[in-house]
Amino acid sequence: MKPYFWKICFILVLSLLFLAGILLVFLFRRLKQKEAQRKLLSSILESSRNELKASLLLRLCYLDKPEPEDLAPLLSFLDLDKELRHTAVALIHFPASSRLSNSFHKDAGRRLQDSLLALCWEAAGEFFPSFWLWETPDTLLGILNIAENLSESLYLPILNQLGECLQKAYAGREEARPPVIAFGSMISSGELLHRSYEEAAELLNHKLHNHISTPYSYQEFQRTEIQFDYHKQQLLARYVRLGKGQEASTFLNSYFSVIHANPYTSVAYVREITEQIVELISSIVREMPVVLADCKPLLECAKGQTEHLTHVHDFGQFLLPFVQNICNSISAVSANKGKLKIDGLISWIQENYHQDLSLEDMAAHIGCSPAYTSKLFKKETNYDIITYLSSVRIRHAKELLSTTKMTLEEISAAVGFNHQQTFIRNFKKQTGLTPTEYRNSSAPTS
C-alpha cells in the first residue's frame, strides 16, 4: 500500500510542477509582451513628443479658463510645468508663407515653412530657450523661456533684439515685406499662458492693421498706443478722406479698446483726444465744400457733446457712429463725383463744340488724364467721347443746313471741323446722307 501511495504523490507533485512551469512560462511571455508594448508606446510617445507638446501649448493658449487638474499630469509628463514658469508668447506673421500655402505650389509652401521654422529655432535659441510651432499657415507661435533673474527692464530690450535679429535673418529672402512680430508679457505659470497669447495676438492684429513692422512687446504697446500721435492722425485722415467708414471704425474701435483696458487712462485725457479727433475730421470736411453742407449739423453737434461724457467707454461709443456718418457722406459724394465731372464736361462741350477741341483739352477741363476721361465718359454716358463731340457738331450742322444758305465749307468751320471732307465723312456716317442731300431733303417744297 505504501509504495503505491508514494507513487501517486510523486505523480501529483510532478503534475503540479509541470503546471507551475507552464504557468510561469505563460506569465513570463505575458510580461515580455507587456514590456514590448510599453517600449513601443514609449517610442511612439517619444517620437510624437513635439506634436503632443505643440498640441498642449496651443490648448493652454486658447483656453480662457485652464483646467489645472486635467492639464497637470500632461504638463508633468512633458516636463512643461517648470518650463512655463517664466514664459512669454511670440507671434510672427510671415506674408510669403500664406501666399505659397494657398497656391498650387504645396511643396514650395512646405519647404518655406520648414525653413522659416528652422530660422526661428536658430535665431531665438541665441537669446532664450524656446519652442516654435505653426499656429496658422502664415503665423508662427513661439514659447520663450525667460530666466527668473531677468527683470522687465532687462528682458524687454532683449525681446526687441530678438525681433530685430529675426527680421535681419529674413531680410535676405525674396519676399519684400518683413515679418510682423509681436511679444506678449511674461507670465509666471502655465495656467496663465493664454493671457500672454491674447496680448501677443492683440498686438499682432494692431500691427497688421496699422502696417507696423517694428518689433516691440505688449508692455511697450500699452505705454505708447494710448497716444494719438502723428501716425494715427494720418491713418484716420486717410480713411475719412476716402470715405472708408468700416476701416475708420475698426481703427478707432481698436484704439479705444486699448485706452479702455489701461487703468491709468484719465477721462480728461480721453476727452482731449476725442476733441482732437473731432477737430481733425472737421478740418477734412471743410476741405470738401460739397460734403460740408451735409455734414455741418453733425460737426456742430459733436463739438458740444464731448463735454457731457463722463466715462472712458462713452467717448468711443460717441465717436464710432459720428465717424461712420461722416464717411458715409463722403463716400456718397465720391460715388457721384464721376457723374458730376461728366455732366460739367457735357455742358462745356455743348458751349465750345465750335472750337478746335482735342481729348487732351476735354481732359484738362475736368482735371483728369485723357485715358481716364475717355473711360469715365464711356462709363457714365455709354458713348465714346470723340463720337459724342462729333454728334453735337453734326446736330448744329443740320440746323445750319436747314435754316441758312451757308456753304459747306462755312458750316464745317462754324461747327468745329478743321476740314470740309472730315465734316462730310462724319455727317454721312451719322445720318446716312451727305450734307447736300440732307439740305435738299429738308428744303421746303413749293
Side-chain angles (χ1 to χ4, degrees):
M1 187 71 183
K2 277 187 177 183
Y4 180 73
F5 173 77
W6 289 112
K7 189 175 181 180
I8 293 174
C9 290
F10 180 74
I11 292 172
L12 289 173
V13 169
L14 286 178
S15 300
L16 290 173
L17 289 174
F18 178 74
L19 291 174
I22 292 175
L23 182 62
L24 287 173
V25 171
F26 176 75
L27 291 174
F28 179 76
R29 291 186 63 182
R30 286 294 302 272
L31 288 173
K32 195 171 182 181
Q33 288 176 353
K34 287 187 177 181
E35 180 65 19
Q37 289 177 350
R38 188 188 66 79
K39 288 182 179 180
L40 177 62
L41 288 174
S42 297
S43 64
I44 292 173
L45 288 174
E46 193 61 34
S47 64
S48 305
R49 190 179 188 84
N50 282 345
E51 288 78 4
L52 291 171
K53 190 173 181 179
S55 176
L56 180 58
L57 289 173
L58 283 176
R59 182 180 175 187
L60 286 169
C61 287
Y62 294 156
L63 283 179
D64 290 332
K65 295 180 180 179
E67 306 163 7
E69 66 280 358
D70 180 29
L71 299 179
L74 291 173
L75 291 171
S76 177
F77 174 75
L78 295 171
D79 299 325
L80 287 176
D81 46 353
K82 295 180 180 179
E83 290 183 22
L84 296 178
R85 287 182 183 173
H86 294 273
T87 307
V89 171
L91 290 175
I92 307 181
H93 176 82
F94 290 99
S97 177
S98 177
R99 175 172 54 79
L100 277 180
S101 64
N102 292 329
S103 70
F104 293 105
H105 307 289
K106 298 297 182 184
D107 292 337
R110 281 192 292 269
R111 287 196 299 271
L112 176 63
Q113 287 189 330
D114 290 342
S115 66
L116 293 176
L117 189 62
L119 181 150
C120 289
W121 276 99
E122 182 178 355
E126 299 178 5
F127 295 86
F128 301 107
S130 60
F131 182 84
W132 294 89
L133 61 130
W134 284 101
E135 184 196 13
T136 67
D138 57 6
T139 305
L140 263 174
L141 184 150
I143 307 297
L144 308 176
N145 296 318
I146 300 170
E148 296 183 21
N149 59 347
L150 282 179
S151 63
E152 181 179 310
S153 60
L154 291 176
Y155 81 78
L156 287 182
I158 299 177
L159 284 179
N160 294 339
Q161 290 177 25
L162 169 59
E164 293 172 0
C165 177
L166 287 167
Q167 287 188 332
K168 286 179 181 177
Y170 186 76
R173 297 176 176 270
E174 296 180 1
E175 177 64 34
R177 288 181 293 169
V180 181
I181 304 173
F183 300 108
S185 59
M186 186 176 71
I187 51 97
S188 57
S189 167
E191 299 170 18
L192 303 175
L193 192 65
H194 67 284
R195 181 185 301 170
S196 184
Y197 169 79
E198 289 170 357
E199 293 172 350
E202 179 187 347
L203 179 54
L204 183 68
N205 289 333
H206 170 80
K207 287 186 172 186
L208 290 172
H209 180 76
N210 294 284
H211 311 290
I212 301 172
S213 58
T214 307
Y216 54 85
S217 65
Y218 186 78
Q219 290 93 324
E220 296 168 304
F221 166 66
Q222 281 187 311
R223 296 191 191 107
T224 59
E225 288 305 304
I226 62 172
Q227 302 173 9
F228 198 73
D229 54 20
Y230 177 79
H231 172 75
K232 295 185 182 66
Q233 294 175 30
Q234 293 301 305
L235 186 61
L236 179 61
R238 178 174 175 271
Y239 288 148
V240 173
R241 284 194 180 95
L242 295 175
K244 294 186 175 182
Q246 183 61 44
E247 289 81 352
S249 297
T250 303
F251 168 71
L252 285 175
N253 191 45
S254 173
Y255 172 67
F256 273 91
S257 66
V258 173
I259 287 183
H260 189 261
N262 193 318
Y264 303 105
T265 305
S266 67
V267 172
Y269 178 77
V270 181
R271 179 178 286 110
E272 180 183 342
I273 293 296
T274 303
E275 291 173 352
Q276 183 182 348
I277 293 173
V278 171
E279 180 55 36
L280 173 67
I281 294 173
S282 299
S283 65
I284 294 171
V285 173
R286 284 194 292 269
E287 297 171 2
M288 305 176 176
V290 180
V291 181
L292 183 58
D294 294 334
C295 296
K296 196 171 182 180
L298 282 172
L299 298 176
E300 291 176 351
C301 178
K303 287 182 179 179
Q305 195 167 346
T306 56
E307 299 176 0
H308 307 291
L309 303 178
T310 56
H311 297 90
V312 172
H313 179 72
D314 297 339
F315 291 91
Q317 292 297 309
F318 154 72
L319 270 179
L320 289 175
F322 167 70
V323 172
Q324 185 69 57
N325 289 334
I326 295 291
C327 289
N328 288 342
S329 298
I330 294 174
S331 179
V333 170
S334 298
N336 294 326
K337 190 179 291 184
K339 186 176 184 306
L340 292 173
K341 283 180 178 290
I342 296 305
D343 288 346
L345 179 58
I346 288 174
S347 299
W348 184 79
I349 290 173
Q350 291 175 350
E351 292 174 3
N352 298 276
Y353 68 91
H354 56 280
Q355 298 183 18
D356 183 16
L357 299 180
S358 65
L359 177 58
E360 288 73 15
D361 296 328
M362 293 183 282
H365 178 71
I366 62 172
C368 299
S369 68
Y372 180 74
T373 300
S374 179
K375 182 179 178 180
L376 185 62
F377 195 94
K378 179 75 172 178
K379 175 185 174 184
E380 296 294 336
T381 67
N382 208 28
Y383 285 103
D384 176 75
I385 188 170
I386 300 300
T387 303
Y388 177 78
L389 173 61
S390 178
S391 68
V392 172
R393 288 171 169 170
I394 297 300
R395 186 174 70 247
H396 286 279
K398 288 162 70 174
E399 184 179 348
L400 293 175
L401 287 168
S402 301
T403 60
T404 70
K405 294 183 178 181
M406 294 171 63
T407 65
L408 296 185
E409 185 177 357
E410 291 171 336
I411 292 175
S412 174
V415 296
F417 286 103
N418 291 330
H419 304 286
Q420 183 178 335
Q421 291 302 318
T422 305
F423 164 59
I424 295 172
R425 184 172 62 253
N426 279 272
F427 193 96
K428 186 170 183 178
K429 182 178 179 181
Q430 292 195 29
T431 66
L433 301 172
T434 64
T436 302
E437 290 172 342
Y438 180 85
R439 172 172 270 175
N440 293 336
S441 65
S442 61
T445 57
S446 301

